[in-house]
Every structure is written in C-alpha cells, then in structure tokens.
Amino acid sequence: MRTRTDWLWLLLSLSPALSAEPARNPFQPLLLAPCSASSVSPAGWQLKGIVGQPARRHGWVLTANGQWLRLIAQQTVLADGWRVVQIAPYSLELRAIANDPLCPPAADSFRLMLDNHKEGK
C-alpha cells in the first residue's frame, strides 16, 4: 500500500515530463529576452515645421517610413518609449522613457532641428 508521501514523490518526479517546456539546465545562465524597445528611436525623423505660440506649439515631423506626425509637448510616441519634452521655435526635443530598468534606452534624448537651422556638431 502506498502512502501519501509516496504518491507525492511520484507526482513530483513526473512533473518535468508532464510540462510542455523542456527542463532547464541549472548550470547555464538564464537567457534574458532582448530589449525590444531599445531599437525603436526617432533616428531618421525630420522636423518639417513648428506652428503656434510659445504656450501651445505643434511640431510637424516626417518619420523614416514616410508618416507625418503632429506632436505637442508631453506627448508620448513610439509605443510610449519617447516623450516630447520641448518644442522651441526651431527645434523639438524628445526624451527616452525608461519603462524597464533591465532595458535602459540606448539614448537619453534626441533633438530634431529644422533644416535651415541645423546646429554645428
């Protein structure tokens, strides 16, 4: 006759075989999923215009894939990975939002300039 501990031991020994995932090697480090949002950035965007008064400016941006965006201050873009922090008369600044402490953003901020007002590097 089997005891309760025998059944429990049998059940625990069969549990890896019943699971859908293969057993993990405990001597190998855990594989972390790559940071998917780190590659998403406003690189390649072009600032095409700024309209409005200082208190309520709008920036018109052409994305790398040809989409037009009308941006306002404090708006989030790119799956909430970037925030528009400032819209000046000739520039627009975006700042990366660190949503995951294990996946820090590749760049902290990104400034777009109007074509005829480029800053010297």
Side-chain angles (χ1 to χ4, degrees):
M1 179 172 198
R2 295 201 180 250
T3 64
R4 182 177 281 188
T5 55
D6 290 338
W7 285 109
L8 182 60
W9 182 253
L10 180 64
L11 180 65
L12 289 175
S13 65
L14 290 176
S15 64
L18 296 176
S19 70
E21 297 178 18
R24 186 182 80 78
N25 183 346
F27 300 103
Q28 293 293 325
L30 289 173
L31 296 176
L32 298 175
C35 298
S36 60
S38 63
S39 63
V40 179
S41 79
W45 287 14
Q46 297 174 15
L47 182 60
K48 293 296 187 177
I50 295 181
V51 294
Q53 300 300 317
R56 186 75 173 155
R57 287 191 177 115
H58 299 267
W60 288 96
V61 173
L62 182 63
T63 66
N65 62 358
Q67 180 183 9
W68 283 91
L69 299 176
R70 178 179 156 250
L71 302 177
I72 59 172
Q74 302 307 315
Q75 180 178 354
T76 58
V77 293
L78 296 172
D80 294 333
W82 292 82
R83 180 182 316 274
V84 178
V85 292
Q86 181 184 25
I87 302 177
Y90 303 106
S91 66
L92 183 142
E93 183 179 355
L94 298 123
R95 185 157 299 138
I97 301 170
N99 292 326
D100 185 354
L102 297 177
C103 293
D108 290 337
S109 65
F110 202 87
R111 183 178 297 273
L112 302 172
M113 303 291 295
L114 285 174
D115 288 337
N116 55 351
H117 290 88
K118 294 220 182 246
E119 291 179 344
K121 290 189 176 184

